[in-house]
Amino acid sequence: MKKSRVTLMSTALIAAGATAIGTTATAQADTTNPTTNNATTGQTQTAKTSQAELDANIKDAQAAVNDAKDKTGQAQTAADAAKKTATQSESQASTAQTTTTKAQTDLSTAKTDEAKAQQVADSATDDAINQAQDAVTNQQNQNQQLTQPVDTAKTDVDKAGDSVNSAQTVVDQTNTDATQANQTVANAQAQVDHAQDVVDGKDSATAQQNLATAQQDLSQAQTNVNQANDATKQASQAASDAQTKVTNAQTSVDQANQAQSAAQQNVNTATQAQAAAQKALDDAQANQENANQIHMSQDYIDALNAYSQASPNDSNYQQILDTLLAVTKNEWSQNGGYVSNSSDQAIKINSKSDLDKYMAELNAYAQQLINNVRNQFGTEQVQVSNGSKQVGQQIGDAYTSENHENSAGHDIATNNTIAKDNGLSQLSDQDMTTVMSKVLGNSWNMTLDDFKKALYEAMKSYLFNGNEWDHATSIAGNRLGAKGKNVWLGIGWSFYTPSDGTYQSAPVANGTQIIDSMFNFIYDYTIQDTSKFDSTPIESNTVSADEIKQLESDLAIKKTAANTAKTALATAKTNTTKAQNELTAAKTALATAKQQQVSAQTALTNAQAAVKTATAAVAAAQKAVDETSASDATKQQALNDAKAALKAAQAVQSQKQASLTVAKAKLATANQALTQAKAKLASAEAALKAGQQALANKKAYLDSLTHADANLAAAKQAVVDAQTAYDQAVQALKAAQTTADSDAATYQQLQQAADAAKQALVAAQAKLDQLLQTKVLNDAIDRTNQETNQSKFAQGERVTNTEYDATNGSGAALNTKHALGTEHATTSGNTVTLKAHRALSTEQATTLQRRKAAMAAATTKSTSTLPQTDETAGRTASVLGLMMIGLVGMLGATKRRKRI
C-alpha cells in the first residue's frame, strides 16, 4: 500500500514541477550550490520557492485584490452618479432648448404685433379717427335703412302666404265641387238605370221601403246642417277677433320700429359725444409730463376705502382684509413696468450735488404720481411748495448723516425736530422704502431716469405690496383724519452703509450704499409758523389734475349718456322683437282661425249638400213609388227624363273639372310668389347681417385708432418683455448646455477610471491566483522530499547513473549524459552536482525514459503559457529535482518489489 502511494505522488510531482517552472519572478526557484554535497544528511532536495517570501507575496497580493475591489466599487459608484447627473443635465439642456425656441417664436410674434401696432399708430391721425367715426355712423344709418327692407320682405312673405292659403282654399272648394259633380253624374246614371228598371218592371216591391229610408236620412242631414251652421258662426267670430289682433300687433310693430330708429339716432349722437370727450381727455393726458401713472381697478379702490374706514374690532374686518388682499394681487399686472424717458436717461447723476439740482423736478414727478392716484380715489390733491421741498430734503440729508438704516424704522425724533425747525408742530406722515443698493464710489454713474423709476417703483410697493395697506392709505389720502385737509409733499433721499455688511441677511459688496426714498406729507393743521414754512404751491406747467378730473368727469357723463342711449336702444330692439313676435303669433293665430273658418264653412256646405242630397233621395224614392204605379207611357217618359238629366250632369262635371284645373294653376302661381318673397327676405336679411358685420369691423378699427398709442406702448413693452425672456432663455440654454457637456465629459472620465479599476482588479486577482498555486506546489514539494529522503535512508542505496533533459532560458534543449560524481555546468553558469549511485536496472531505465518524455512535454507547455522568472539555472535545478523525485520513487518501488 505504502509503495503504491509513493509512486503515484512521484509521478504527480513531475507534472506539477513542469508547471512550476513557469511561475513568476516572485516565486523564485533555488539553485544547487556546485560545491555543496549535502554530506550531512545525504538527501537530495527538490528546488522550491522561499516559503517566507511566498507568504509575504500572497499577503501583499491579497491586500492588492482587496484594495482593487474597493477602488473598483468606488469608481463604478462615482461613474453611475456622474451618468445620472449627465442624463439630468442633458434633459435640462433639452428643456432649455425648447424654452428658447418658444421664446424666439414669442419674440417674433411680438415684433410682428408691434409692427402692426406701429402702422395703426402712424395712421391714427385726427382725420383718420374722424373718418372712422363717420364710417361707423354712416354704417349705423345704412343698417337702419337695411332694417326696413327686411320688415317689408317679411310682410310680403306673410301676404304671399295668405295668397297661398286662399288659393289652396279655392282648390279645396273646386275639388269638392268636382267631386260633387262626379257624384251627381253617378246619381244621374243611377237614375237612368233605375228608370230603365222601372220600365222593365224591376224593384217595384222595394220602392216603398226606400222612400222611408230616404225620409229618415233627410231628417238627419237637416240636423247636421243646423250644427254646422252654429260652428261656422263661431269660427267666423274667431277669425274676426284674430284679424283685430293682427291689426293691433302691426300697429305695435310700426311704433316699435319708430322707437328703435329714434333710439339708434340717440346712440349715434351719444357715441360721437363720448368719442369727442375721450379725445379731449387723451390729448390732455398726452400733455402731462409724467407718462408713468398708477392705474387701479374699481375693486381695489372700493376695497382700500373699506379698509381705511374699518376697525380691527369690526365683525367683518377679516373679510375686508381678505377682499383687499385678493384684489391687490391683480394690480401689479395691470400697471406693468416703468417706461424710461430718453431725455431723463441723458441726464447724469454722479453725486449728491447733481441730485440736489433735480430735487424740484423729482418732487413734481412724485406729486403727479400721487395726485393721479388720489384723483382716482377722489381725495385731496397734494401740493409742493418751497417749504415742503425743504422739509423733505432736510430729512433725507439728516438720515444720511446719521447712517440711519431702514431696518430701524422711522426716526420720529429727527422727523419732528426738522418739522419744528420749519415752523411745523410735527411731520404728519412719512412713507419710506428701499429703492436701490449700489456701490456708488466717486462717480455714481446714475441718471435722472433711475431716480424717477425709483419713485415709481416705490409707489407700486406702497400700494400693492400685499402685506400691509397703511402706506397705501397714506398715498391715496383716504386715511381717517386726512380727508378734507390741505396737504403738502416733500420727498427725500437717504443713503446708508449697512453696519454689519449685510442687507436683508445677505452680504453686500464693500462700498455698497442702500438708497431709501421718502415721501414726507405735511397737513395744514401742523403749520404753526408761516414765516418758517412757505406753503405757496409751486405752479406746474403740465395739465392740472383738476383739468384731468373735469375731463374725466365729462367723459364719464358722456359714457353714461352713451350707455343709457345704448340701453334704451337695446330696450327698443327688445320691444321691436317682442312686437314682431307678437305680430307673427297673431298672424299664425289668424291663419289658423281662417283655416278653421274655412273648415267650418266647408262642413256647413257639405251638410247643406247632404240635405239636398237627402231631399233629392226622398223625392227620388217618392218618385220611385209613384213610378211603380204609373202607366207604361209615364214610365217611359221618366226614363227619357233621367237620360236628359244624366247628360246635363255630365256637362256640369266637365265645367267643375275645368274650374279645378284653373284653381290648381293659381295655387302654383301663389306658391311661386311665396318662394320669391322668401328669397327676397333672405337677401334682405343677408344684407342686414353683412351691414352689422361691417359695423362691428368699423367699430373695431375706430377703437384701434382711438387707443393706438396705448396699444403701441403695450406692443413695445411686449417686445421688450419677449426680448428679455429670449435673452434669458439663450443664457440659460448656454449654461445648461455647458453643464451638460461638462457632466458628460466627467461621466466618460469616471467610467474610464472604473474600467481601468476593473482591469487592475482582474490583474491583481490573477497574480494572487498564481501565488496561491505556487504555494500549493511548494507544500507538495515539501511533503515529497520528506517521503523521498525517508525512503532512501530505508533502502541504503544510491543511484549510480542518471540522465536528464532541461531547457535553458531561451527554450533550447539540453540533453546531457555524465559520469557519476561529475559536475554539469548549465548555460547560465550554475552547476548541479550529482552524487554517484549504482547502475539502474532495465525496468528502472525504461521508467526513467518515460519520465523524461513527460517532463519534456510539460516543460514545453509550461514555457509557452506561464510568465518566466528569467532564472534559467533555477528552472534547470527544478527540473532536475523533479526528475530525481520521480527516480527515487521508482527505485523505492523496485526495491520493495524485490523485497516482497
Side-chain angles (χ1 to χ4, degrees):
M1 224 21 186
K2 185 175 181 181
K3 66 177 181 179
S4 175
R5 178 175 63 82
V6 173
T7 303
L8 291 173
M9 183 172 291
S10 299
T11 305
L13 285 175
I14 292 174
T19 304
I21 291 173
T23 58
T24 60
T26 56
Q28 297 178 355
D30 295 332
T31 59
T32 303
N33 192 307
T35 60
T36 301
N37 201 15
N38 202 3
T40 305
T41 62
Q43 298 176 351
T44 302
Q45 298 293 329
T46 302
K48 69 181 186 68
T49 302
S50 169
Q51 187 64 42
E53 182 182 1
L54 182 60
D55 289 342
N57 290 340
I58 289 174
K59 182 178 180 180
D60 292 342
Q62 184 63 59
V65 168
N66 294 339
D67 182 62
K69 286 182 177 179
D70 292 340
K71 290 182 177 178
T72 299
Q74 294 171 0
Q76 190 59 55
T77 299
D80 292 342
K83 181 179 181 181
K84 181 178 180 181
T85 300
T87 300
Q88 292 175 345
S89 298
E90 183 61 29
S91 176
Q92 291 172 353
S94 178
T95 301
Q97 180 62 62
T98 301
T99 302
T100 301
T101 301
K102 182 180 183 302
Q104 187 176 26
T105 301
D106 293 343
L107 175 59
S108 177
T109 300
K111 288 182 177 179
T112 300
D113 293 342
E114 180 190 17
K116 293 179 180 178
Q118 185 64 59
Q119 291 177 352
V120 174
D122 293 342
S123 62
T125 62
D126 292 343
D127 290 341
I129 293 175
N130 292 334
Q131 290 175 1
Q133 181 61 59
D134 292 342
V136 169
T137 302
N138 293 335
Q139 188 62 54
Q140 289 172 337
N141 294 333
Q142 291 177 13
N143 288 357
Q144 182 62 36
Q145 295 174 357
L146 291 173
T147 302
Q148 186 60 43
V150 172
D151 295 338
T152 301
K154 287 181 178 179
T155 301
D156 293 342
V157 168
D158 293 338
K159 291 180 179 179
D162 292 343
S163 297
V164 169
N165 293 334
S166 298
Q168 184 64 55
T169 300
V170 173
V171 168
D172 293 341
Q173 183 60 51
T174 53
N175 187 60
T176 299
D177 293 344
T179 301
Q180 291 176 349
N182 292 338
Q183 186 61 46
T184 300
V185 169
N187 292 340
Q189 182 62 54
Q191 189 63 33
V192 169
D193 295 339
H194 172 67
Q196 186 63 54
D197 290 340
V198 170
V199 170
D200 295 339
K202 299 178 180 178
D203 297 331
S204 59
T206 60
Q208 191 63 44
Q209 181 179 355
N210 290 341
L211 176 60
T213 300
Q215 289 173 341
Q216 185 178 357
D217 292 341
L218 176 59
S219 177
Q220 181 61 48
Q222 188 63 54
T223 299
N224 292 340
V225 165
N226 295 336
Q227 293 175 348
N229 191 47
D230 293 338
T232 300
K233 291 179 180 179
Q234 294 175 358
S236 297
Q237 184 60 47
S240 177
D241 294 341
Q243 183 61 59
T244 300
K245 290 182 178 179
V246 167
T247 301
N248 294 336
Q250 185 62 58
T251 300
S252 297
V253 167
D254 295 340
Q255 293 173 346
N257 284 331
Q258 293 175 358
Q260 179 178 338
S261 177
Q264 182 65 61
Q265 187 60 43
N266 291 338
V267 166
N268 295 343
T269 301
T271 301
Q272 292 174 356
Q274 178 184 343
Q278 182 68 60
K279 184 177 184 303
L281 177 60
D282 292 342
D283 291 342
Q285 289 177 335
N287 293 325
Q288 283 185 294
E289 181 178 344
N290 182 8
N292 292 285
Q293 299 291 348
I294 307 295
H295 301 285
M296 295 158 292
S297 67
Q298 190 60 46
D299 290 341
Y300 175 81
I301 294 172
D302 294 341
L304 189 61
N305 281 331
Y307 169 78
S308 69
Q309 304 300 317
S311 168
N313 297 325
D314 293 343
S315 60
N316 64 337
Y317 186 71
Q318 186 59 47
Q319 180 180 355
I320 291 174
L321 289 179
D322 292 341
T323 300
L324 183 53
L325 177 61
V327 299
T328 298
K329 294 179 179 178
N330 299 325
E331 301 303 311
W332 282 102
S333 59
Q334 291 184 2
N335 285 280
Y338 175 80
V339 179
S340 293
N341 183 289
S342 58
S343 299
D344 292 337
Q345 288 176 326
I347 299 175
K348 302 300 181 181
I349 304 294
N350 289 316
S351 64
K352 180 65 166 56
S353 60
D354 287 344
L355 178 61
D356 292 343
K357 296 177 184 177
Y358 294 96
M359 286 299 291
E361 183 172 343
L362 291 172
N363 271 283
Y365 184 82
Q367 177 190 20
Q368 294 169 18
L369 289 175
I370 295 172
N371 283 342
N372 176 62
V373 170
R374 293 193 169 206
N375 184 59
Q376 296 175 65
F377 276 89
T379 52
E380 281 67 32
Q381 302 281 287
V382 299
Q383 307 171 77
V384 175
S385 68
N386 290 327
S388 65
K389 287 196 303 179
Q390 178 173 295
V391 169
Q393 184 159 354
Q394 287 180 356
I395 291 176
D397 292 345
Y399 275 46
T400 300
S401 177
E402 298 169 0
N403 199 50
H404 182 79
E405 299 191 22
N406 183 284
S407 59
H410 301 277
D411 189 344
I412 304 300
T414 297
N415 291 345
N416 289 335
T417 297
I418 293 174
K420 291 178 181 178
D421 290 344
N422 285 273
L424 307 174
S425 61
Q426 63 182 28
L427 185 65
S428 302
D429 218 346
Q430 182 183 62
D431 297 310
M432 179 174 67
T433 187
T434 296
V435 292
M436 287 181 277
S437 62
K438 184 177 177 65
V439 178
L440 295 181
N442 295 328
S443 178
W444 290 6
N445 193 28
M446 299 175 70
T447 67
L448 180 61
D449 188 69
D450 293 330
F451 285 90
K452 287 187 177 182
K453 179 180 180 181
L455 293 175
Y456 176 79
E457 296 297 340
M459 284 285 293
K460 290 177 65 176
S461 178
Y462 293 144
L463 291 167
F464 309 136
N465 65 73
N467 296 318
E468 52 77 35
W469 291 274
D470 290 338
H471 288 92
T473 57
S474 173
I475 295 296
N478 62 350
R479 182 179 295 179
L480 288 176
K483 291 185 176 181
K485 301 293 189 295
N486 292 324
V487 58
W488 286 261
L489 167 71
I491 67 168
W493 303 94
S494 74
F495 303 79
Y496 70 88
T497 301
S499 58
D500 59 354
T502 65
Y503 176 65
Q504 294 183 346
S505 302
V508 297
N510 291 334
T512 296
Q513 286 193 299
I514 309 300
I515 305 175
D516 286 351
S517 68
M518 292 178 286
F519 291 179
N520 302 289
F521 295 99
I522 301 164
Y523 288 98
D524 52 12
Y525 59 82
T526 65
I527 302 175
Q528 294 183 331
D529 189 346
T530 57
S531 65
K532 293 183 178 180
F533 182 78
D534 183 357
S535 62
T536 304
I538 299 175
E539 295 296 332
S540 174
N541 294 328
T542 60
V543 177
S544 68
D546 289 339
E547 291 175 315
I548 296 294
K549 185 176 182 180
Q550 181 59 45
L551 290 172
E552 289 176 338
S553 176
D554 182 58
L555 175 60
I557 293 173
K558 296 298 191 298
K559 284 183 177 179
T560 300
N563 291 336
T564 300
K566 290 177 181 178
T567 300
L569 176 59
T571 301
K573 288 181 176 180
T574 300
N575 292 338
T576 300
T577 301
K578 181 180 178 181
Q580 189 63 51
N581 292 339
E582 290 176 352
L583 175 60
T584 300
K587 288 181 177 180
T588 300
L590 175 60
T592 301
K594 286 183 176 180
Q595 186 61 43
Q596 291 174 348
Q597 182 183 21
V598 170
S599 298
Q601 186 63 49
T602 300
L604 175 60
T605 301
N606 293 338
Q608 291 172 340
V611 168
K612 292 179 180 180
T613 301
T615 300
V618 168
Q622 182 63 52
K623 183 179 179 181
V625 170
D626 294 341
E627 286 173 350
T628 56
S629 59
S631 63
D632 292 339
T634 301
K635 292 178 181 180
Q636 185 61 48
Q637 184 60 45
L639 176 58
N640 294 336
D641 293 340
K643 290 180 178 180
L646 174 59
K647 184 176 181 181
Q650 289 173 337
V652 172
Q653 181 185 37
S654 298
Q655 179 185 0
K656 295 298 183 183
Q657 191 61 47
S659 297
L660 177 59
T661 301
V662 172
K664 286 182 177 181
K666 290 182 178 180
L667 176 59
T669 301
N671 280 325
Q672 184 177 4
L674 177 60
T675 300
Q676 293 174 349
K678 287 181 177 180
K680 290 182 179 180
L681 174 59
S683 176
E685 288 178 336
L688 178 58
K689 184 177 180 180
Q692 292 170 340
Q693 183 59 51
L695 177 60
N697 295 340
K698 291 176 181 178
K699 284 184 176 180
Y701 178 62
L702 174 61
D703 183 73
S704 67
L705 292 178
T706 304
H707 300 89
D709 292 339
N711 293 339
L712 178 58
K716 288 181 178 293
Q717 186 59 46
V719 170
V720 172
D721 294 342
Q723 184 66 56
T724 300
Y726 174 67
D727 293 341
Q728 292 173 348
V730 169
Q731 292 300 320
L733 174 59
K734 291 180 179 178
Q737 191 59 58
T738 299
T739 300
D741 294 342
S742 175
D743 290 345
T746 300
Y747 164 62
Q748 292 296 331
Q749 293 172 355
L750 291 177
Q751 187 58 55
Q752 290 174 359
D755 294 340
K758 291 177 182 178
Q759 293 175 357
L761 174 59
V762 171
Q765 185 65 53
K767 181 177 180 180
L768 176 61
D769 292 343
Q770 291 173 353
L771 291 173
L772 291 174
Q773 185 179 13
T774 301
K775 179 176 175 60
V776 171
L777 177 60
N778 282 354
D779 291 342
I781 291 173
D782 288 341
R783 288 193 299 271
T784 301
N785 284 339
Q786 182 179 4
E787 291 176 0
T788 302
N789 290 333
Q790 290 175 354
S791 175
K792 288 178 180 180
F793 281 118
Q795 295 174 18
E797 298 176 351
R798 293 291 183 269
V799 178
T800 61
N801 222 349
T802 212
E803 184 178 16
Y804 68 92
D805 290 340
T807 57
N808 58 17
S810 62
L814 296 176
N815 189 358
T816 306
K817 295 183 179 179
H818 51 82
L820 296 176
T822 62
E823 295 180 349
H824 172 69
T826 66
T827 57
S828 62
N830 297 325
T831 60
V832 178
T833 301
L834 299 177
K835 295 182 178 181
H837 298 286
R838 64 182 175 84
L840 297 175
S841 66
T842 302
E843 180 182 2
Q844 290 173 334
T846 301
T847 302
L848 180 58
Q849 290 294 333
R850 294 175 179 173
R851 296 289 189 272
K852 288 166 59 182
M855 282 299 295
T859 300
T860 301
K861 178 179 181 182
S862 175
T863 56
S864 64
T865 58
L866 296 177
Q868 303 300 313
T869 64
D870 294 330
E871 297 185 17
T872 306
R875 288 196 300 275
T876 304
S878 297
V879 172
L880 182 58
L882 292 173
M883 290 173 62
M884 292 301 296
I885 292 171
L887 181 59
V888 170
M890 291 188 295
L891 292 174
T894 304
K895 184 66 176 178
R896 288 171 186 257
R897 282 197 297 273
K898 288 180 178 180
R899 290 178 180 177
I900 293 175

